[in-house]
Amino acid sequence: EPEVTQTPSHQVTQMGQEVILRCVPISNHLYFYWYRQILGQKVEFLVSFYNNEISEKSEIFDDQFSVERPDGSNFTLKIRSTKLEDSAMYFCASSQTGGAHQPQHFGDGTRLSIL
Amino acid sequence: AQSVTQLGSHVSVSEGALVLLRCNYSSSVPPYLFWYVQYPNQGLQLLLKYTSAATLVKGINGFEAEFKKSETSFHLTKPSAHMSDAAEYFCAVSVGGGSNYKLTFGKGTLLTVNP
């Protein structure tokens, strides 16, 4: 069964450094998402992306965050200058369409640790 | 605003016993609801989804959920728990409009299965 893959599985970065989290969505999916889960808290929506532009972003997704689909397969999340509070598990997801009934398929996540 | 609430952050059952994980929703429009499971160190896996076709929804691994509009509930059940069911379970509602939806998650319920 096709799946969403994320790399790396664990990223350790110094505060203030830039980090790029990578995702390969399911190949025939058109809608892409990033979510994050701070330890002990609920999974939170960050951003959705369709047709090479952001569809929606949350309050969390400030100017330090950006997303990109640099080629036909990868979908990346960049944090320009990391802060301690960015430490979390980041999940990439994709869906065939953007409709309400469409399930989103998640990767295994990247655990980001900011020191 | 649409949201879900999961009652009980931790549920513990014996192997072979009934599993009941509670989820209540708040929505002014017919909701699209999902249950996801997260095994340790893994991503979110779709268990089942409610999209108004049938109120009793069957999912993977023997789980099912019943949509009850009168109770604004979408509780997840399994008749007989197995050790492999130990995981965290998330209820989610699809929020948005047009072809632009995101998932809003509950806080999750950790299921422990005792031998």
Side-chain angles (χ1 to χ4, degrees), chain B residues 12-36:
Chain B
S12 182
V13 301
S14 298
E15 192 173 20
L18 171 71
V19 176
L20 171 60
L21 305 182
R22 299 177 186 274
C23 174
N24 287 87
Y25 69 89
S26 172
S27 178
S28 58
V29 298
Y32 290 95
L33 297 162
F34 303 83
W35 275 100
Y36 282 84

Side-chain angles (χ1 to χ4, degrees), chain A residues 1 18 31 40 60 111:
Chain A
E1 185 178 322
E18 174 184 287
Y31 290 75
I60 304 166
R111 181 170 299 282

Side-chain angles (χ1 to χ4, degrees), chain A residues 33 35 56 91 98 100 104 107-108, chain B residues 32 36 43 94 99 101-103:
Chain A
Y33 312 83
Y35 291 80
E56 185 177 350
F91 292 107
Q104 294 178 19
D108 283 347
Chain B
Y32 290 95
Y36 282 84
S94 195
S99 61
Y101 284 84
K102 63 187 178 190
L103 292 174

